[in-house]
Amino acid sequence: MDRFEYIEARLFEGENYLKREKGVKIYDGEDKTQYVDGEVILTTHRILWGKAGDIPKGLTCLSLPLYYVFCLEEENSGVFGLGGPKRILLHLGPALPGKRPGPAVVSPYHFIKFSFKDGVDPLFFKALNDAVNAKAWERTPQQQLTSSESVVNTSTKSPVTPVNSKIRSGIVGIERSIEEHHRATDESISVAFQDLRKLMEKAKEMVSISKTISTKIREKQGDISEDDTVRFKSYLMSLGIDDPVTRDAFRSDSDYYLGLAQQISDMMVSVLMDCGGIMSLADVWCRVNRARGLELISPEDLLNACKLLGTIDAPMSLRKFPSGACVLQLNSQSDEEVAKVTSQLLEENGSLTPVKLSQLANVSVLLARERLFTTERRGLACRDESIEGLAFYPNLFLTKAA
Amino acid sequence: MRRRAGVGAIQKQKLEQEKYKEKGSEIQENQFQQMCKQLEVFRENLEDFASKHKNEIKKNAQFRRQFQEMCAAIGVDPLASGKGFWSVLGIGDFYYELGVQIVEVCLATNYKNGGLITLDELRSKLIAARGKAKKHQDITNEDLLAAVKKLRIFGNGFTVIPIGKGKWLVQSVPGELNLDQTLVLQKASALGTAWVSASILTGDLRWNETRAQNALNHMVKEGLAWVDTQDTSETLYWFPSMFAECVSA
């Protein structure tokens, strides 16, 4: 809206009348304005809008120089687009400095819409399109030089020379090219999402566009969303599996579970290492399915596959706690390893309670006690049960007895 | 071009520089807004496609991967099946999808709530992350309970605890993996008092009431903490394992 100027309705030298429409409303971007039910005059240089009857009388009206327009499209209204397009959408370049005052000083939008009460006349749209493409204003300066009235002419005409859109230089040129780039992207997105087949064809391009958008936004505001869950989701999905194992690809269930076990083990190794070597099966199920995308596996399938982890020499195994909770844990957490590490800690600290071990090893108290019991069972620790609680000491019989 | 010299020229240049800078940030701001708009368009379209064309997308392996990449970049959930006819019978992906999303919400929030979340909060977070479409809003607590039921075969690592009428608490971290008790002990030893109270935990660790009380009750049950009701304002929990340290300190 900030591209409009107030001006008396008069044609300039070299400017020609093209077409006229009635019952026209202006939208500033998506917003309605007070300019309703007016009359529009299209010339070779401008679009004039005035209250009905104002323009023929030469009263003040709104004028939009056509050099602001770099693209236009018809917009269908209504759910089914019945009765043809009702609006024309004009994408505008940024307001040039030194323009005459207009109805708005700033506008958040880079496009305006003309809404036609009786629908868009295809002839009007065509004429507008032609006028924008003909760029009559680029020719006028030369004519003006030869014209004796050139001085008068420039004073009535908007005082800045319009930017030649072919030679892109200066800030305006940069802005325009950015603008155009955005438009091109917008367009390719809207084309690609018309139907599934088109999206498949353009999938590669869309993937890269989606990534650019999200990196740009991440740079600017930290992350694509403030929602913890959305962020986490996007993280989980980015660790995708290229070719998820499916039941159809295998002849028997046991083969399928073996394949699944292999894939789970490949995927979870690094995850488990990152989070302390142990994870509840529900978490594993969620992560595996997120990585698989649309090919979900059921909890039963996961459980069956995890039972087979031992048979394929995977670096992890399924474990069931006495409480009944199932977890997946790295083999470095196996009883032997645990006993070895815990007995070392016992030596270093002289004695350990479950509470102390839980703090040293950063595991839960329950798990810490479990570890101490394991160590005890292997004969590497001795129990001291008293009113102060449960404590364990190194087994001196192993070291001192001889 | 005219040679510029003198203070005036320098000031002019400075002014110009500033103007350029201003313009630059304006352009950037503009570009950012455009990007945000495109992100929205992408999100809407992806959500739409995910719910409409699931089966076609599944069929084409290469495209499936690309679709997933897009969803990951934009933060859209590709799992968007509706509660169709088959899901009433417990067949189909609907409840599995919900299950995945439930666990996901629990995982994403567990740094804040220690793996305890009310079903209502879970539902609102899940719906928000699932997308804007109307059918996502129709997911009920009963749907969530049905989905959680499917996780039961993982043992009681993921459980729903009824707390009063029509209210449930979802516990996503099994006791063995729960570090809350360790945190309580750390807090107590940091304070050097050998005791803590629920209000200390809610105040200092920013836990909610349920989480604090749960952790403390569990420790009492395990014999790690002793209850002291002599204090007039609230119950204190003493840790005998720290008595010696306090005496010697």
Side-chain angles (χ1 to χ4, degrees), chain A residues 230-242:
Chain A
V230 173
R231 282 207 295 251
F232 190 65
K233 191 194 300 288
S234 137
Y235 159 73
L236 286 185
M237 283 194 294
S238 63
L239 310 168
I241 297 178
D242 272 325

Side-chain angles (χ1 to χ4, degrees), chain B:
Chain B
M1 206 212 248
R2 209 167 61 87
R3 202 169 66 98
R4 286 177 179 164
V7 181
I10 292 172
Q11 274 171 348
K12 204 169 164 192
Q13 222 176 359
K14 233 184 189 169
L15 208 74
E16 245 166 48
Q17 288 278 324
E18 257 164 45
K19 274 199 177 145
Y20 278 131
K21 222 184 233 169
E22 222 169 80
K23 190 78 200 167
S25 58
E26 188 192 314
I27 293 179
Q28 261 189 351
E29 187 54 38
N30 227 327
Q31 203 175 1
F32 176 65
Q33 278 174 4
Q34 291 274 2
M35 287 278 184
C36 286
K37 234 187 276 167
Q38 285 172 353
L39 183 82
E40 270 313 304
V41 175
F42 241 106
R43 183 172 294 159
E44 273 167 33
N45 281 321
L46 282 176
E47 279 177 12
D48 199 37
F49 272 60
S51 64
K52 274 191 201 144
H53 302 291
K54 184 179 165 198
N55 287 324
E56 289 98 313
I57 295 170
K58 252 167 122 172
K59 269 182 221 149
N60 183 328
Q62 193 199 354
F63 180 66
R64 186 179 56 206
R65 176 81 183 128
Q66 286 164 330
F67 194 78
Q68 166 120 354
E69 274 181 59
M70 281 188 262
C71 286
I74 302 296
V76 168
D77 201 323
L79 302 179
S81 294
K83 189 165 51 167
F85 168 70
W86 293 105
S87 59
V88 179
L89 304 172
I91 307 170
D93 279 348
F94 177 68
Y95 285 113
Y96 291 154
E97 292 185 0
L98 267 189
V100 171
Q101 285 156 348
I102 290 170
V103 181
E104 193 172 65
V105 171
C106 290
L107 279 173
T109 54
N110 121 21
Y111 76 98
K112 277 194 283 204
N113 56 26
L116 273 180
I117 189 169
T118 62
L119 197 64
D120 292 322
E121 191 185 347
L122 177 73
R123 178 171 167 269
S124 66
K125 280 190 190 296
L126 185 141
I127 289 173
R130 215 171 190 243
K132 291 200 183 87
K134 164 113 188 1
K135 67 171 181 187
H136 299 321
Q137 314 299 318
D138 293 341
I139 291 169
T140 62
N141 282 352
E142 282 65 42
D143 290 333
L144 297 184
L145 290 175
V148 171
K149 218 180 254 175
K150 301 214 174 259
L151 300 180
R152 228 179 243 169
I153 66 157
F154 294 148
N156 56 6
F158 198 99
T159 43
V160 181
I161 311 158
I163 45 161
K165 201 170 155 232
K167 286 201 181 295
W168 287 273
L169 208 58
V170 178
Q171 184 183 13
S172 58
V173 179
E176 283 84 354
L177 303 186
N178 194 332
L179 288 175
D180 278 5
Q181 299 181 17
T182 317
L183 292 174
V184 171
L185 290 164
Q186 266 164 10
K187 185 74 219 167
S189 83
L191 291 171
T193 51
W195 60 266
V196 292
S197 66
S199 66
I200 289 179
L201 298 180
T202 50
D204 292 8
L205 299 177
R206 302 193 166 275
W207 289 3
N208 59 28
E209 297 270 322
T210 349
R211 182 178 182 183
Q213 204 54 55
N214 234 41
L216 289 170
N217 287 348
H218 208 88
M219 295 181 87
V220 172
K221 206 171 78 190
E222 294 288 328
L224 294 171
W226 291 355
V227 179
D228 174 10
T229 51
Q230 296 175 84
D231 193 271
T232 44
S233 54
E234 63 176 335
T235 310
L236 306 183
Y237 295 83
W238 289 82
F239 302 107
S241 57
M242 291 181 185
F243 289 171
E245 285 166 45
C246 283
V247 171
S248 62

Side-chain angles (χ1 to χ4, degrees), chain A residues 245 250 252-265 301 304-312:
Chain A
V245 171
F250 292 92
S252 69
D253 269 5
S254 55
D255 284 350
Y256 165 61
Y257 291 137
L258 276 177
L260 202 55
Q262 188 61 52
Q263 202 162 61
I264 290 168
S265 126
D301 285 355
N304 285 325
C306 285
K307 281 179 185 155
L308 294 177
L309 281 169
T311 60
I312 57 164

